Amino acid sequence: MTAFALASALRAGDTVYSSWCTLASPIVAETIAREGFAAVVLDIQHGLWDTAAIVAGIGALHHAGSTPLVRVPVGDFTFVSRALDFGAEAIIAPMINTAADARAFAAVAKYPPLGERSWGPQRAMALQGRNVTTDYLREANDGTLTLAMIESATALGNVEAIAATPGIDALFIGPYDLSTVLSGGKAQDVQAPEVERAIDKICAAASKAGKIPGIYCNNTDRALAMAKRGFRFITIGSDLGLLRDSAAAQVKALKG
Ligand code: 3PY
Ligand code: MG
């Protein structure tokens, strides 16, 4: 895989669609990637991945020519630089609510002078076929991406400050958490008017700050509509949803 392909594409203005895997199976992630997804998120926050599976999953995605992203658990900033060292080329951090959260995230993800990422990307370099440390060091801050999740009322209030934080490359919307909080815990309607307004506000804040707007979608129609609304990093559904949908379709076809 070309080193840092996702960051190159997004920084060049492309729109990238990504799959999303929760099932802790490197082979499932690789199989999905080989159908043509340029990127795949391995979700530790709500998924089942342990450290050994994440290391293998990242390797499998490199092997398939697809960029691995890792979503870390809430506040787990220590795992950010570990996942980058394992060869993830972008990190999604959930519940980034304030500029201070954004600064803490950027600090562990970016090398000095931008941040304080500690040196040790041996596996990431091997997956890129590199052995000159200064090549990786020179390219990593631009080549790896930090995606700050905006998915709470507090984050919505602070969205411009979060977007303006140096070292934050993208805002990534979690519409389910947004819907949950904006409905006072009553709904999971990602197309409710107040959620749609929040989505547009976050997209505008990202674009105004020169950052990449991203969003989680649960189907391809919604993903294509979000691309028209200006989003450029768009994830669709999950490995579990793909399995469930095709199993349900088979059962329906068999039983009528
Ligand atoms: C959300 O919708 O809250 C998400 O975090 C998507 O994964
Ligand atoms: Mg969420």
Side-chain angles (χ1 to χ4, degrees), residues 20 43 45-46 71 149 151 172-178 216:
W20 187 283
D43 179 15
Q45 183 196 9
H46 293 301
R71 176 163 77 170
M149 286 199 77
E151 52 179 352
F172 185 73
I173 299 178
Y176 286 96
D177 275 312
L178 262 186
Y216 178 95

